Amino acid sequence: MTGKTGENYNNNYLNYVKTQDPPTRHFKNCAAAFGVGGLICCIGQFIRLMLEYAGLTGDELAGTTSVILIFLGCFLTGLGVYDRIGRYAGAGSIVPITGFANSVTSPAIEFKTEGWIYGMAAKMFTVAGAIIVFGVFSGVLVGLVYYFI
Amino acid sequence: MKKGNTVFFKNKPRISSFAAICGSKEKEGVIGGYADVTLDDDMYGESTYEKAECKMLTNAVSLAIEKGGFKERDIDVMFSGDLLNQIISASFAARDYDFPFLGVYSACSTMSESIMLAAMLVNAGYIGRAVAATGSHFASAERQYRYPLELGCTRPPQSQWTVTGAGGCVITDAKEGIKITSATMGRVCDYGVTDVNNMGAAMAPAAADTFMQHFRDTGSSPEDYDMILTGDLGALGSRIVKDLTWEKGYDISENHVDCGEIIYKVIETEFQGGSGAGCSAVVLNSYVLSKMRAGLYKRILFAATGALLSTVSSGQGESIPCISHAVDLEY
């Protein structure tokens, strides 16, 4: 397991730990993510159709749909439901826009105890900050590629 | 007297009284019937989780003092620590008392380190009565080490669940009670595990090292103990520590019990079991010590294990150094 020589003692141990680790259930996780993620998208599509029916078009339609989904994400986070969905669904509830809403709302709730400015407002983007940085960055890259093609 | 890394207590300090408080999730498990106070509300009537943790610790200390028939003025010193930055729960709990406070930090092995230090001072005759206590809270630990509570993310199958609870005991120079016969000071062990979600695998080598050191120093063997109790290795870590000691010629598989593994009734979202400073403190100060006092166990080796990492060190890719201190208890 760890062997007698000091040389690769740690490596032997780490390899041994790997054999003992409980496996991550990839198939089950993917299926749950697919199901829940798909369901969230279907709800979004349903909202979109309803708004279209109500007479919205173009950017207004897309914007209003996103706003409603973001509201639902924040609302369910506040009720303490979204983390339960997330525990089960994984990427299925992280990837849609509701997951982004959750990643902003949850630290805001958490750090509220440290004050409105230095707590809630300053730490609101501890999780979402990374998403914003890399989202904007990849947006620029794609934009450049698009410009030259 | 000291041999190897083990200190032998000639005057046999005693654990005169003990008390434990546990949260709502822990109440469902084996310790629910043995803890002195079980909470229905993990906020404990406070406005923040940190205050709740502090209040649990304060109440555990007060209860332990009260149960032993002591008054606050009888206590000479308190050893305590917790998981939060700058051990705020312990220090804030200590401001409610008149007796001196010595803060210790040893992550999840704070309970065994506090007992050991208290026993040393009592054995030497410097003090007559000392309190050793610690606690942790799921929500405050989660906020410091991981993500906000409401963030919807999955937990890896190696992960553990920080115990909400606090436990404390009073160590005295009395002639009755549970004897502390010796204590082994742990060495920091690091086998290169970097996965912060796999604390069991990181801490198991430290526990194994301390066990073997203790067996060598005291000349005892695993069969001499009714129970070899580790703090929060979890199911995975327990398997590893058995393998590690077995490899070196000690078989602890018969009587090894892990507090983290037994604390929760159903392993559902906790995966490998409980963790945190409160884990060993609650289990030891409720179920284990009361069963010991009832005569079910005669001799126990209690070795809580602690992972000495911070969010900074793990963020910078450092591996996780771990420690374990062992206390030999007899009744």
Side-chain angles (χ1 to χ4, degrees):
Chain A
M1 179 170 55
T2 48
K4 293 239 172 352
T5 56
E7 203 163 305
N8 48 10
Y9 204 81
N10 285 3
N11 277 338
N12 288 344
Y13 180 67
L14 293 178
N15 286 335
Y16 158 76
V17 167
K18 237 174 247 165
T19 63
Q20 297 289 310
D21 263 353
T24 308
R25 295 194 199 128
H26 290 296
F27 183 77
K28 190 181 149 265
N29 289 353
C30 286
F34 180 79
V36 177
L39 185 68
I40 293 173
C41 294
C42 288
I43 294 169
Q45 190 61 33
F46 175 75
I47 293 170
R48 194 186 160 92
L49 286 175
M50 287 296 109
L51 290 172
E52 209 170 5
Y53 184 70
L56 291 181
T57 50
D59 283 349
E60 271 184 351
L61 177 61
T64 317
T65 312
S66 303
V67 167
I68 292 175
L69 281 174
I70 290 170
F71 168 76
L72 285 177
C74 296
F75 187 63
L76 290 177
T77 305
L79 291 182
V81 177
Y82 206 86
D83 61 314
R84 284 166 202 222
I85 300 172
R87 211 174 286 157
Y88 168 74
S93 61
I94 294 173
V95 176
I97 201 164
T98 46
F100 183 73
N102 169 253
S103 72
V104 177
T105 320
S106 57
I109 298 172
E110 183 89 10
F111 293 102
K112 202 185 78 191
T113 53
E114 287 165 39
W116 292 103
I117 296 168
Y118 292 108
M120 189 205 74
K123 291 188 175 158
M124 192 186 262
F125 294 98
T126 46
V127 180
I131 307 173
I132 295 172
V133 169
F134 288 107
V136 171
F137 181 67
S138 50
V140 169
L141 276 188
V142 172
L144 281 175
V145 170
Y146 189 72
Y147 180 77
F148 286 112
I149 289 175
Chain B
M1 196 180 85
K2 177 174 167 287
K3 187 185 171 212
N5 295 340
T6 305
V7 192
F8 294 87
F9 299 125
K10 192 179 69 185
N11 300 326
K12 308 277 184 277
R14 312 282 179 143
I15 297 180
S16 296
S17 62
F18 47 87
I21 295 181
C22 73
S24 52
K25 201 179 173 82
E26 291 70 22
K27 190 169 80 171
E28 309 288 319
V30 63
I31 56 163
Y34 296 91
D36 298 280
V37 178
T38 53
L39 309 182
D40 292 316
D41 164 30
D42 282 353
M43 284 291 254
Y44 209 177
E46 295 289 331
S47 56
T48 69
Y49 290 116
E50 284 73 14
K51 280 184 190 163
E53 182 179 329
C54 180
K55 188 173 171 184
M56 281 195 305
L57 191 54
T58 312
N59 286 1
V61 170
S62 296
L63 267 173
I65 295 173
E66 198 183 304
K67 276 172 78 180
F70 303 114
K71 291 274 178 289
E72 207 181 305
R73 61 171 182 276
D74 299 331
I75 305 298
D76 295 314
V77 68
M78 162 165 138
F79 286 93
S80 185
D82 60 273
L83 294 178
L84 300 183
N85 290 339
Q86 286 81 38
I87 54 167
I88 48 171
S89 299
S91 324
F92 285 27
R95 71 180 168 189
D96 292 344
Y97 298 107
D98 277 337
F99 44 76
F101 163 68
L102 292 172
V104 289
Y105 180 77
S106 182
C108 313
S109 66
T110 304
M111 194 68 220
S112 53
E113 185 174 339
S114 318
I115 293 179
M116 182 173 75
L117 291 171
M120 282 173 179
L121 283 190
V122 170
N123 182 65
Y126 292 125
I127 55 170
R129 290 170 207 90
V131 172
T134 185
S136 62
H137 196 298
F138 170 74
S140 63
E142 200 72 5
R143 165 213 192 90
Q144 183 178 311
Y145 290 101
R146 295 180 195 95
Y147 300 111
L149 279 185
E150 299 299 335
L151 187 70
C153 54
T154 49
R155 301 172 75 85
Q158 301 91 332
S159 66
Q160 288 168 274
W161 192 273
T162 307
V163 167
T164 302
C169 55
V170 183
I171 291 139
T172 67
D173 53 5
K175 290 284 159 262
E176 52 200 41
I178 296 159
K179 276 183 283 193
I180 304 169
T181 53
S182 62
T184 303
M185 300 175 281
R187 297 189 297 175
V188 175
C189 285
D190 189 343
Y191 277 25
V193 176
T194 48
D195 183 2
V196 289
N197 287 309
N198 200 348
M199 290 297 182
M203 294 191 293
D209 183 72
T210 302
F211 283 153
M212 291 185 289
Q213 185 72 43
H214 186 82
F215 295 144
R216 273 198 299 275
D217 293 346
T218 58
S220 60
S221 64
E223 298 81 58
D224 298 338
Y225 297 92
D226 295 316
M227 192 198 270
I228 295 175
L229 192 69
T230 49
D232 55 351
L233 294 176
L236 174 63
S238 301
R239 276 208 303 281
I240 296 175
V241 78
K242 282 173 202 165
D243 281 358
L244 280 170
T245 46
W246 181 81
E247 192 189 43
K248 295 284 189 289
Y250 296 98
D251 184 9
I252 61 164
S253 58
E254 285 296 310
N255 39 15
H256 172 262
V257 174
D258 183 66
C259 297
E261 204 177 353
I262 60 166
I263 191 166
Y264 292 115
K265 189 179 171 191
V266 191
I267 302 292
E268 184 193 341
T269 48
E270 306 89 23
F271 292 112
Q272 301 299 330
S275 71
C279 184
S280 54
V282 168
V283 176
L284 180 81
N285 289 305
S286 59
Y287 180 80
V288 176
L289 288 185
S290 35
K291 285 291 177 198
M292 217 174 166
R293 202 180 252 178
L296 190 64
Y297 307 118
K298 292 270 173 283
R299 193 175 178 197
I300 288 180
L301 183 61
F302 170 62
T305 46
L308 305 172
L309 82 167
S310 81
T311 47
V312 177
S313 72
S314 58
Q316 292 175 349
E318 289 269 2
S319 53
I320 306 167
C322 295
I323 197 162
S324 175
H325 303 286
V327 191
D328 201 330
L329 305 173
E330 252 181 66
Y331 188 69

